[in-house]
Amino acid sequence: MRHFAGLLLGVIVTGALLVGGGWAAQQALTVAPGTAVPVTGTRLWIALAAMAVIGLVLGLVVVGRVSPLATFVPSMVLLAWTVVYALDVNRALSFIPDEASMHQVVLDAGAGNVTLLTTGVYALLGVLMFLPVLMPSRWSRRHDDLDDDYEEAQEGSYY
């Protein structure tokens, strides 16, 4: 049951990273129309806050005592996408939605994903999230010290 919950958590973390992280990166890197000055003000603070929340969630999943599948799923998505990008740039970029019929948030997330993929941030995060999978202690159950100390004995007799 712990690994199933880790699998579900991994899918949620993957979605948060790809959609939320891509959107936040796009909002933080977008320049104001007609100027060469980066965006400042409320939009920048919201994007930075979204990045901080996503970083907090990733950090808790990486160092927490959850199933290693919670980090394995997003790491494989990011590393596989990076390998596809290294082998065939056009195919890797074709996975990103860019049709005009899509919602603007999805288009912004896609543009941010292009930035994060092409700069190698996804490769870096993929390797970071794969490291907990290599630790054998993450795959085993928690060891409960109270179970070892308890020994059944008969009351009132030492024979």
Side-chain angles (χ1 to χ4, degrees):
M1 188 66 183
R2 181 174 80 95
H3 294 302
F4 181 71
L7 180 68
L8 290 178
L9 183 61
V11 170
I12 292 169
V13 167
T14 303
L17 182 63
L18 292 177
V19 176
W23 176 85
Q26 176 62 23
Q27 294 299 312
L29 296 175
T30 302
V31 294
T35 65
V37 179
V39 173
T40 59
T42 307
R43 196 165 93 180
L44 177 66
W45 285 106
I46 292 172
L48 291 175
M51 287 183 206
V53 168
I54 292 168
L56 178 66
V57 169
L58 288 177
L60 290 174
V61 169
V62 168
V63 300
R65 275 297 284 180
V66 295
S67 170
L69 289 176
T71 60
F72 182 70
V73 171
S75 71
M76 284 297 103
V77 169
L78 296 176
L79 290 175
W81 199 8
T82 302
V83 168
V84 171
Y85 177 74
L87 296 176
D88 188 3
V89 174
N90 293 327
R91 179 169 299 227
L93 296 179
S94 71
F95 296 143
I96 298 171
D98 59 354
E99 299 169 1
S101 62
M102 301 296 270
H103 193 274
Q104 186 61 36
V105 173
V106 176
L107 292 175
D108 287 345
N113 284 331
V114 169
T115 303
L116 295 173
L117 179 67
T118 57
T119 57
V121 173
Y122 279 164
L124 176 88
L125 287 174
V127 171
L128 172 76
M129 295 181 76
F130 187 73
L131 290 177
V133 176
L134 301 176
M135 297 179 194
S137 63
R138 295 288 297 261
W139 289 98
S140 63
R141 282 185 13 185
R142 289 186 191 170
H143 184 66
D144 193 3
D145 294 333
L146 298 176
D147 289 339
D148 290 340
D149 295 338
Y150 182 72
E151 183 178 321
E152 290 189 31
Q154 296 178 352
E155 293 292 326
S157 174
Y158 290 104
Y159 302 108

